[in-house]
């Protein structure tokens, strides 16, 4: 980690961030928090969009599909959602 630099500090009100991913084109950063909300930022200006989803806190992982237009999420129920 010696060659890494701090790029951005996320809003501390997010609490625990379980997963974080850049879109394939690098224009969007997505994160899921401890309550199961998915947050999106536009990396050009770091504008934070309203959360996409509120769940019961069982969301563990998110990732972008290769087209960058859709998110895939999975959680405690072992199901995949697009």
């Amino acid at each position: 980690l010696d060659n890494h630099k701090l790029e951005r500090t996320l809003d501390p009100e997010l609490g625990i961030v379980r997963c974080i991913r850049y879109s394939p084109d690098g224009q969007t950063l997505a994160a899921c928090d401890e309550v199961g909300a998915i947050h999106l930022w536009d990396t050009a200006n770091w504008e934070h969009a309203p959360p996409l989803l509120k769940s019961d806190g069982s969301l563990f992982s998110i990732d972008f599909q290769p087209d960058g237009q859709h998110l895939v999420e999975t959680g405690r129920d072992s199901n995949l959602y697009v």
Side-chain angles (χ1 to χ4, degrees), residues 20-74:
I20 193 163
R21 297 282 187 264
Y22 274 104
S23 63
D25 62 8
Q27 293 181 7
T28 304
L29 180 73
C32 61
D33 66 19
E34 63 186 329
V35 298
I38 297 174
H39 301 269
L40 298 173
W41 289 266
D42 178 337
T43 60
N45 57 18
W46 292 102
E47 191 172 309
H48 182 205
L52 287 178
L53 171 70
K54 282 280 193 182
S55 72
D56 61 2
S58 65
L59 183 61
F60 293 145
S61 181
I62 57 173
D63 206 351
F64 283 90
Q65 288 189 325
D67 67 5
Q69 301 299 306
H70 298 90
L71 281 169
V72 178
E73 54 131 319
T74 188

CSV table of all heavy atoms in Angstrom, one decimal, residues 20-74:
chain,number,residue,atom,x,y,z
A,20,ILE,N,-17.4,-1.8,-2.3
A,20,ILE,CA,-17.2,-0.6,-3.1
A,20,ILE,C,-16.7,-1.0,-4.4
A,20,ILE,O,-15.8,-1.9,-4.5
A,20,ILE,CB,-16.3,0.4,-2.4
A,20,ILE,CG1,-16.4,1.7,-3.0
A,20,ILE,CG2,-14.9,-0.1,-2.3
A,20,ILE,CD1,-15.9,2.9,-2.2
A,21,ARG,N,-17.2,-0.5,-5.5
A,21,ARG,CA,-16.8,-0.8,-6.9
A,21,ARG,C,-16.9,0.4,-7.8
A,21,ARG,O,-17.8,1.2,-7.7
A,21,ARG,CB,-17.8,-1.8,-7.5
A,21,ARG,CG,-17.8,-3.2,-6.8
A,21,ARG,CD,-16.6,-4.0,-7.2
A,21,ARG,NE,-16.8,-5.3,-6.7
A,21,ARG,CZ,-16.2,-5.8,-5.5
A,21,ARG,NH1,-15.6,-4.9,-4.7
A,21,ARG,NH2,-16.4,-7.0,-5.1
A,22,TYR,N,-15.9,0.5,-8.7
A,22,TYR,CA,-15.9,1.5,-9.8
A,22,TYR,C,-16.6,0.8,-10.9
A,22,TYR,O,-16.5,-0.3,-11.2
A,22,TYR,CB,-14.5,1.9,-10.2
A,22,TYR,CG,-13.9,3.0,-9.4
A,22,TYR,CD1,-12.9,2.7,-8.5
A,22,TYR,CD2,-14.3,4.3,-9.6
A,22,TYR,CE1,-12.3,3.8,-7.8
A,22,TYR,CE2,-13.7,5.4,-8.9
A,22,TYR,CZ,-12.7,5.1,-8.0
A,22,TYR,OH,-12.1,6.1,-7.3
A,23,SER,N,-17.4,1.7,-11.7
A,23,SER,CA,-18.0,1.2,-12.9
A,23,SER,C,-16.9,0.9,-13.9
A,23,SER,O,-15.8,1.4,-13.8
A,23,SER,CB,-19.0,2.2,-13.5
A,23,SER,OG,-18.3,3.4,-13.8
A,24,PRO,N,-17.1,0.1,-14.9
A,24,PRO,CA,-16.1,-0.2,-15.9
A,24,PRO,C,-15.4,1.0,-16.6
A,24,PRO,O,-14.2,1.0,-16.9
A,24,PRO,CB,-16.8,-1.1,-17.0
A,24,PRO,CG,-17.9,-1.8,-16.2
A,24,PRO,CD,-18.3,-0.7,-15.2
A,25,ASP,N,-16.2,2.1,-16.8
A,25,ASP,CA,-15.6,3.3,-17.4
A,25,ASP,C,-15.0,4.2,-16.4
A,25,ASP,O,-14.5,5.3,-16.7
A,25,ASP,CB,-16.7,4.0,-18.3
A,25,ASP,CG,-17.9,4.5,-17.5
A,25,ASP,OD1,-17.9,4.4,-16.2
A,25,ASP,OD2,-18.9,4.9,-18.1
A,26,GLY,N,-15.2,3.9,-15.1
A,26,GLY,CA,-14.6,4.7,-14.0
A,26,GLY,C,-15.4,6.0,-13.7
A,26,GLY,O,-15.0,6.8,-12.9
A,27,GLN,N,-16.6,6.2,-14.3
A,27,GLN,CA,-17.3,7.4,-14.1
A,27,GLN,C,-18.3,7.3,-12.9
A,27,GLN,O,-18.8,8.4,-12.5
A,27,GLN,CB,-18.2,7.7,-15.4
A,27,GLN,CG,-17.3,8.0,-16.6
A,27,GLN,CD,-18.1,8.4,-17.8
A,27,GLN,OE1,-19.3,8.5,-17.8
A,27,GLN,NE2,-17.4,8.5,-18.9
A,28,THR,N,-18.5,6.1,-12.4
A,28,THR,CA,-19.4,6.0,-11.2
A,28,THR,C,-18.7,5.1,-10.2
A,28,THR,O,-18.1,4.1,-10.5
A,28,THR,CB,-20.7,5.3,-11.7
A,28,THR,OG1,-21.3,6.1,-12.7
A,28,THR,CG2,-21.7,5.2,-10.5
A,29,LEU,N,-18.9,5.5,-8.9
A,29,LEU,CA,-18.4,4.7,-7.8
A,29,LEU,C,-19.7,4.3,-7.1
A,29,LEU,O,-20.6,5.1,-6.8
A,29,LEU,CB,-17.5,5.5,-6.9
A,29,LEU,CG,-17.0,4.8,-5.7
A,29,LEU,CD1,-15.9,3.8,-6.1
A,29,LEU,CD2,-16.4,5.7,-4.6
A,30,ALA,N,-19.8,3.0,-6.8
A,30,ALA,CA,-20.9,2.4,-6.1
A,30,ALA,C,-20.5,1.8,-4.8
A,30,ALA,O,-19.4,1.2,-4.7
A,30,ALA,CB,-21.7,1.4,-6.9
A,31,ALA,N,-21.2,2.0,-3.7
A,31,ALA,CA,-20.9,1.4,-2.4
A,31,ALA,C,-22.2,0.9,-1.8
A,31,ALA,O,-23.3,1.5,-1.9
A,31,ALA,CB,-20.2,2.4,-1.5
A,32,CYS,N,-22.1,-0.2,-1.0
A,32,CYS,CA,-23.2,-0.6,-0.2
A,32,CYS,C,-22.8,-0.5,1.3
A,32,CYS,O,-21.7,-0.7,1.6
A,32,CYS,CB,-23.7,-2.0,-0.5
A,32,CYS,SG,-22.6,-3.4,-0.3
A,33,ASP,N,-23.8,0.0,2.1
A,33,ASP,CA,-23.5,0.2,3.5
A,33,ASP,C,-24.1,-0.8,4.4
A,33,ASP,O,-24.7,-1.8,3.9
A,33,ASP,CB,-23.9,1.6,3.9
A,33,ASP,CG,-25.4,1.8,3.8
A,33,ASP,OD1,-26.2,0.8,3.9
A,33,ASP,OD2,-25.9,3.0,3.8
A,34,GLU,N,-23.9,-0.6,5.7
A,34,GLU,CA,-24.3,-1.7,6.6
A,34,GLU,C,-25.8,-1.8,6.8
A,34,GLU,O,-26.2,-2.9,7.3
A,34,GLU,CB,-23.7,-1.3,8.0
A,34,GLU,CG,-24.2,0.0,8.6
A,34,GLU,CD,-23.5,0.3,9.9
A,34,GLU,OE1,-23.1,-0.6,10.6
A,34,GLU,OE2,-23.3,1.5,10.1
A,35,VAL,N,-26.6,-0.9,6.3
A,35,VAL,CA,-28.0,-1.0,6.4
A,35,VAL,C,-28.6,-1.6,5.0
A,35,VAL,O,-29.8,-1.7,4.9
A,35,VAL,CB,-28.8,0.3,6.8
A,35,VAL,CG1,-28.4,0.7,8.2
A,35,VAL,CG2,-28.6,1.4,5.8
A,36,GLY,N,-27.8,-1.8,4.1
A,36,GLY,CA,-28.2,-2.3,2.8
A,36,GLY,C,-28.5,-1.3,1.7
A,36,GLY,O,-29.1,-1.7,0.7
A,37,ALA,N,-28.2,-0.1,1.9
A,37,ALA,CA,-28.4,0.9,0.9
A,37,ALA,C,-27.3,1.0,-0.1
A,37,ALA,O,-26.1,0.7,0.3
A,37,ALA,CB,-28.6,2.3,1.5
A,38,ILE,N,-27.6,1.2,-1.4
A,38,ILE,CA,-26.6,1.3,-2.4
A,38,ILE,C,-26.4,2.8,-2.7
A,38,ILE,O,-27.4,3.5,-3.0
A,38,ILE,CB,-27.0,0.5,-3.7
A,38,ILE,CG1,-27.1,-1.0,-3.4
A,38,ILE,CG2,-25.9,0.8,-4.8
A,38,ILE,CD1,-27.6,-1.8,-4.5
A,39,HIS,N,-25.2,3.3,-2.7
A,39,HIS,CA,-24.9,4.7,-2.9
A,39,HIS,C,-24.1,4.8,-4.2
A,39,HIS,O,-23.2,4.0,-4.5
A,39,HIS,CB,-24.1,5.3,-1.7
A,39,HIS,CG,-24.8,5.2,-0.4
A,39,HIS,ND1,-25.6,6.2,0.0
A,39,HIS,CD2,-24.8,4.2,0.5
A,39,HIS,CE1,-26.1,5.8,1.2
A,39,HIS,NE2,-25.7,4.6,1.5
A,40,LEU,N,-24.4,5.9,-4.9
A,40,LEU,CA,-23.6,6.1,-6.2
A,40,LEU,C,-23.1,7.5,-6.2
A,40,LEU,O,-23.7,8.5,-5.7
A,40,LEU,CB,-24.6,6.0,-7.4
A,40,LEU,CG,-25.2,4.6,-7.6
A,40,LEU,CD1,-26.2,4.7,-8.7
A,40,LEU,CD2,-24.2,3.6,-7.9
A,41,TRP,N,-21.8,7.6,-6.7
A,41,TRP,CA,-21.2,8.9,-6.9
A,41,TRP,C,-20.8,9.1,-8.3
A,41,TRP,O,-20.2,8.2,-8.9
A,41,TRP,CB,-19.9,9.1,-6.0
A,41,TRP,CG,-20.2,9.2,-4.6
A,41,TRP,CD1,-20.3,10.3,-3.8
A,41,TRP,CD2,-20.4,8.1,-3.6
A,41,TRP,NE1,-20.5,10.0,-2.5
A,41,TRP,CE2,-20.6,8.7,-2.4
A,41,TRP,CE3,-20.4,6.7,-3.7
A,41,TRP,CZ2,-20.8,7.9,-1.2
A,41,TRP,CZ3,-20.6,5.9,-2.6
A,41,TRP,CH2,-20.8,6.5,-1.4
A,42,ASP,N,-20.9,10.3,-8.9
A,42,ASP,CA,-20.4,10.6,-10.2
A,42,ASP,C,-18.9,11.1,-9.9
A,42,ASP,O,-18.7,12.0,-9.2
A,42,ASP,CB,-21.2,11.8,-10.7
A,42,ASP,CG,-20.7,12.3,-12.1
A,42,ASP,OD1,-19.5,12.1,-12.4
A,42,ASP,OD2,-21.4,12.9,-12.8
A,43,THR,N,-18.0,10.3,-10.4
A,43,THR,CA,-16.6,10.6,-10.1
A,43,THR,C,-16.0,11.8,-10.8
A,43,THR,O,-14.9,12.3,-10.4
A,43,THR,CB,-15.7,9.4,-10.5
A,43,THR,OG1,-15.8,9.1,-11.9
A,43,THR,CG2,-16.1,8.2,-9.7
A,44,ALA,N,-16.7,12.5,-11.7
A,44,ALA,CA,-16.3,13.7,-12.3
A,44,ALA,C,-16.3,14.9,-11.3
A,44,ALA,O,-15.5,15.7,-11.2
A,44,ALA,CB,-17.1,14.0,-13.5
A,45,ASN,N,-17.4,14.8,-10.4
A,45,ASN,CA,-17.6,15.9,-9.5
A,45,ASN,C,-17.9,15.4,-8.1
A,45,ASN,O,-18.2,16.2,-7.2
A,45,ASN,CB,-18.7,16.9,-9.9
A,45,ASN,CG,-20.0,16.1,-10.1
A,45,ASN,OD1,-20.2,15.0,-9.6
A,45,ASN,ND2,-21.0,16.7,-10.9
A,46,TRP,N,-17.9,14.1,-7.9
A,46,TRP,CA,-18.2,13.5,-6.6
A,46,TRP,C,-19.6,13.8,-6.0
A,46,TRP,O,-19.8,13.8,-4.8
A,46,TRP,CB,-17.1,13.7,-5.6
A,46,TRP,CG,-15.9,13.0,-6.1
A,46,TRP,CD1,-14.8,13.5,-6.7
A,46,TRP,CD2,-15.6,11.6,-6.0
A,46,TRP,NE1,-13.9,12.6,-7.0
A,46,TRP,CE2,-14.4,11.3,-6.6
A,46,TRP,CE3,-16.3,10.5,-5.6
A,46,TRP,CZ2,-13.8,10.1,-6.8
A,46,TRP,CZ3,-15.8,9.2,-5.7
A,46,TRP,CH2,-14.5,9.0,-6.3
A,47,GLU,N,-20.5,14.1,-7.0
A,47,GLU,CA,-21.9,14.3,-6.5
A,47,GLU,C,-22.5,12.9,-6.1
A,47,GLU,O,-22.4,11.9,-6.8
A,47,GLU,CB,-22.7,14.9,-7.7
A,47,GLU,CG,-24.0,15.4,-7.3
A,47,GLU,CD,-24.7,16.1,-8.5
A,47,GLU,OE1,-24.0,17.0,-9.0
A,47,GLU,OE2,-25.8,15.8,-8.8
A,48,HIS,N,-23.1,12.9,-4.9
A,48,HIS,CA,-23.7,11.7,-4.3
A,48,HIS,C,-25.2,11.7,-4.7
A,48,HIS,O,-25.9,12.6,-4.3
A,48,HIS,CB,-23.5,11.8,-2.8
A,48,HIS,CG,-23.9,10.6,-2.1
A,48,HIS,ND1,-24.3,10.6,-0.8
A,48,HIS,CD2,-24.2,9.3,-2.5
A,48,HIS,CE1,-24.7,9.4,-0.4
A,48,HIS,NE2,-24.6,8.6,-1.4
A,49,ALA,N,-25.6,10.7,-5.4
A,49,ALA,CA,-27.1,10.5,-5.7
A,49,ALA,C,-27.8,9.9,-4.5
A,49,ALA,O,-27.2,9.3,-3.6
A,49,ALA,CB,-27.2,9.6,-6.9
A,50,PRO,N,-29.1,10.1,-4.4
A,50,PRO,CA,-29.8,9.4,-3.3
A,50,PRO,C,-29.7,7.9,-3.4
A,50,PRO,O,-29.5,7.3,-4.5
A,50,PRO,CB,-31.3,9.8,-3.6
A,50,PRO,CG,-31.2,11.0,-4.5
A,50,PRO,CD,-30.0,10.9,-5.3
A,51,PRO,N,-29.7,7.2,-2.2
A,51,PRO,CA,-29.5,5.8,-2.2
A,51,PRO,C,-30.5,5.1,-3.1
A,51,PRO,O,-31.7,5.5,-3.2
A,51,PRO,CB,-29.8,5.4,-0.8
A,51,PRO,CG,-29.5,6.6,0.0
A,51,PRO,CD,-29.9,7.8,-0.9
A,52,LEU,N,-30.1,4.0,-3.8
A,52,LEU,CA,-30.9,3.3,-4.7
A,52,LEU,C,-31.9,2.3,-4.0
A,52,LEU,O,-32.9,2.0,-4.5
A,52,LEU,CB,-30.1,2.5,-5.7
A,52,LEU,CG,-29.3,3.2,-6.7
A,52,LEU,CD1,-28.5,2.2,-7.6
A,52,LEU,CD2,-30.3,3.9,-7.7
A,53,LEU,N,-31.4,1.7,-2.9
A,53,LEU,CA,-32.2,0.6,-2.3
A,53,LEU,C,-32.0,0.6,-0.8
A,53,LEU,O,-30.9,0.8,-0.4
A,53,LEU,CB,-31.6,-0.7,-2.9
A,53,LEU,CG,-32.1,-2.0,-2.4
A,53,LEU,CD1,-33.6,-2.3,-2.7
A,53,LEU,CD2,-31.2,-3.1,-2.9
A,54,LYS,N,-33.0,0.4,-0.1
A,54,LYS,CA,-32.9,0.1,1.3
A,54,LYS,C,-33.4,-1.3,1.5
A,54,LYS,O,-34.5,-1.7,1.1
A,54,LYS,CB,-33.8,1.1,2.1
A,54,LYS,CG,-33.3,2.5,2.2
A,54,LYS,CD,-32.2,2.5,3.3
A,54,LYS,CE,-31.9,3.9,3.7
A,54,LYS,NZ,-30.9,4.0,4.7
A,55,SER,N,-32.6,-2.1,2.2
A,55,SER,CA,-33.0,-3.4,2.5
A,55,SER,C,-32.9,-3.7,4.0
A,55,SER,O,-32.7,-2.8,4.7
A,55,SER,CB,-32.2,-4.4,1.7
A,55,SER,OG,-30.8,-4.5,2.2
A,56,ASP,N,-32.9,-4.9,4.3
A,56,ASP,CA,-32.9,-5.3,5.8
A,56,ASP,C,-31.5,-5.4,6.3
A,56,ASP,O,-31.2,-6.0,7.3
A,56,ASP,CB,-33.7,-6.6,6.0
A,56,ASP,CG,-33.1,-7.7,5.2
A,56,ASP,OD1,-32.0,-7.5,4.5
A,56,ASP,OD2,-33.6,-8.8,5.3
A,57,GLY,N,-30.5,-4.9,5.6
A,57,GLY,CA,-29.1,-4.9,6.0
A,57,GLY,C,-28.4,-6.2,5.6
A,57,GLY,O,-27.3,-6.4,6.0
A,58,SER,N,-29.0,-7.0,4.8
A,58,SER,CA,-28.4,-8.3,4.4
A,58,SER,C,-27.7,-8.2,3.1
A,58,SER,O,-27.2,-9.2,2.5
A,58,SER,CB,-29.5,-9.4,4.3
A,58,SER,OG,-30.4,-9.1,3.2
A,59,LEU,N,-27.5,-7.0,2.5
A,59,LEU,CA,-26.7,-6.8,1.3
A,59,LEU,C,-25.2,-6.9,1.6
A,59,LEU,O,-24.7,-6.2,2.4
A,59,LEU,CB,-27.1,-5.5,0.7
A,59,LEU,CG,-26.5,-5.1,-0.6
A,59,LEU,CD1,-26.9,-6.1,-1.7
A,59,LEU,CD2,-26.9,-3.7,-1.0
A,60,PHE,N,-24.5,-7.8,0.9
A,60,PHE,CA,-23.1,-8.0,1.1
A,60,PHE,C,-22.2,-7.6,0.0
A,60,PHE,O,-21.1,-7.2,0.3
A,60,PHE,CB,-22.8,-9.5,1.4
A,60,PHE,CG,-23.4,-10.0,2.7
A,60,PHE,CD1,-23.9,-11.3,2.7
A,60,PHE,CD2,-23.5,-9.2,3.8
A,60,PHE,CE1,-24.4,-11.8,3.9
A,60,PHE,CE2,-24.0,-9.7,5.0
A,60,PHE,CZ,-24.5,-11.0,5.0
A,61,SER,N,-22.6,-7.7,-1.2
A,61,SER,CA,-21.7,-7.4,-2.3
A,61,SER,C,-22.5,-6.8,-3.5
A,61,SER,O,-23.6,-7.1,-3.8
A,61,SER,CB,-21.1,-8.7,-2.8
A,61,SER,OG,-20.2,-8.5,-3.8
A,62,ILE,N,-21.8,-5.9,-4.2
A,62,ILE,CA,-22.3,-5.3,-5.5
A,62,ILE,C,-21.2,-5.3,-6.5
A,62,ILE,O,-20.1,-5.3,-6.2
A,62,ILE,CB,-22.9,-3.9,-5.3
A,62,ILE,CG1,-21.7,-3.0,-4.7
A,62,ILE,CG2,-24.1,-3.8,-4.4
A,62,ILE,CD1,-22.1,-1.5,-4.6
A,63,ASP,N,-21.6,-5.3,-7.8
A,63,ASP,CA,-20.7,-5.2,-8.8
A,63,ASP,C,-21.4,-4.7,-10.1
A,63,ASP,O,-22.6,-4.9,-10.2
A,63,ASP,CB,-20.0,-6.5,-9.2
A,63,ASP,CG,-18.6,-6.3,-9.8
A,63,ASP,OD1,-18.3,-5.2,-10.2
A,63,ASP,OD2,-17.9,-7.3,-9.9
A,64,PHE,N,-20.7,-4.0,-10.9
A,64,PHE,CA,-21.3,-3.6,-12.2
A,64,PHE,C,-21.2,-4.7,-13.2
A,64,PHE,O,-20.2,-5.4,-13.3
A,64,PHE,CB,-20.5,-2.4,-12.7
A,64,PHE,CG,-20.8,-1.1,-12.0
A,64,PHE,CD1,-20.1,-0.7,-10.9
A,64,PHE,CD2,-21.8,-0.3,-12.5
A,64,PHE,CE1,-20.4,0.5,-10.3
A,64,PHE,CE2,-22.1,0.9,-11.8
A,64,PHE,CZ,-21.4,1.3,-10.7
A,65,GLN,N,-22.3,-4.8,-14.1
A,65,GLN,CA,-22.2,-5.6,-15.2
A,65,GLN,C,-21.2,-5.0,-16.2
A,65,GLN,O,-20.9,-3.8,-16.1
A,65,GLN,CB,-23.5,-5.8,-15.9
A,65,GLN,CG,-24.5,-6.7,-15.0
A,65,GLN,CD,-25.7,-7.0,-15.8
A,65,GLN,OE1,-26.2,-6.3,-16.6
A,65,GLN,NE2,-26.2,-8.2,-15.5
A,66,PRO,N,-20.6,-5.7,-17.1
A,66,PRO,CA,-19.6,-5.2,-18.0
A,66,PRO,C,-20.1,-4.0,-18.8
A,66,PRO,O,-19.2,-3.1,-19.1
A,66,PRO,CB,-19.3,-6.4,-19.0
A,66,PRO,CG,-19.6,-7.6,-18.2
A,66,PRO,CD,-20.8,-7.2,-17.3
A,67,ASP,N,-21.4,-3.8,-19.1
A,67,ASP,CA,-21.9,-2.6,-19.8
A,67,ASP,C,-21.8,-1.4,-18.9
A,67,ASP,O,-22.0,-0.3,-19.4
A,67,ASP,CB,-23.2,-2.9,-20.4
A,67,ASP,CG,-24.3,-3.0,-19.4
A,67,ASP,OD1,-24.1,-2.9,-18.2
A,67,ASP,OD2,-25.5,-3.3,-19.8
A,68,GLY,N,-21.7,-1.5,-17.6
A,68,GLY,CA,-21.6,-0.4,-16.7
A,68,GLY,C,-23.0,0.2,-16.4
A,68,GLY,O,-23.1,1.2,-15.7
A,69,GLN,N,-24.0,-0.3,-17.0
A,69,GLN,CA,-25.4,0.3,-16.9
A,69,GLN,C,-26.2,-0.4,-15.8
A,69,GLN,O,-27.3,0.1,-15.4
A,69,GLN,CB,-26.1,0.2,-18.2
A,69,GLN,CG,-25.4,0.9,-19.3
A,69,GLN,CD,-25.3,2.4,-19.0
A,69,GLN,OE1,-26.2,3.1,-18.7
A,69,GLN,NE2,-24.0,2.9,-19.1
A,70,HIS,N,-25.8,-1.6,-15.3
A,70,HIS,CA,-26.5,-2.3,-14.3
A,70,HIS,C,-25.7,-2.8,-13.2
A,70,HIS,O,-24.5,-3.0,-13.4
A,70,HIS,CB,-27.2,-3.5,-15.0
A,70,HIS,CG,-28.1,-3.2,-16.1
A,70,HIS,ND1,-27.7,-3.1,-17.4
A,70,HIS,CD2,-29.5,-3.0,-16.1
A,70,HIS,CE1,-28.8,-2.8,-18.1
A,70,HIS,NE2,-29.8,-2.7,-17.4
A,71,LEU,N,-26.3,-2.8,-12.0
A,71,LEU,CA,-25.6,-3.3,-10.8
A,71,LEU,C,-26.1,-4.7,-10.5
A,71,LEU,O,-27.3,-5.0,-10.7
A,71,LEU,CB,-25.8,-2.4,-9.6
A,71,LEU,CG,-25.0,-1.2,-9.5
A,71,LEU,CD1,-25.5,-0.3,-8.5
A,71,LEU,CD2,-23.5,-1.5,-9.3
A,72,VAL,N,-25.3,-5.6,-10.0
A,72,VAL,CA,-25.7,-6.9,-9.6
A,72,VAL,C,-25.4,-6.9,-8.1
A,72,VAL,O,-24.4,-6.4,-7.6
A,72,VAL,CB,-24.8,-8.0,-10.2
A,72,VAL,CG1,-25.2,-9.4,-9.7
A,72,VAL,CG2,-25.0,-8.0,-11.7
A,73,GLU,N,-26.4,-7.4,-7.3
A,73,GLU,CA,-26.2,-7.4,-5.8
A,73,GLU,C,-26.6,-8.8,-5.3
A,73,GLU,O,-27.4,-9.5,-5.9
A,73,GLU,CB,-27.0,-6.3,-5.2
A,73,GLU,CG,-28.5,-6.3,-5.5
A,73,GLU,CD,-29.4,-6.3,-4.3
A,73,GLU,OE1,-29.1,-6.9,-3.3
A,73,GLU,OE2,-30.4,-5.6,-4.5
A,74,THR,N,-25.9,-9.1,-4.2
A,74,THR,CA,-26.2,-10.3,-3.5
A,74,THR,C,-26.1,-10.1,-2.0
A,74,THR,O,-25.5,-9.2,-1.5
A,74,THR,CB,-25.3,-11.5,-3.9
A,74,THR,OG1,-25.8,-12.7,-3.4
A,74,THR,CG2,-23.9,-11.3,-3.5
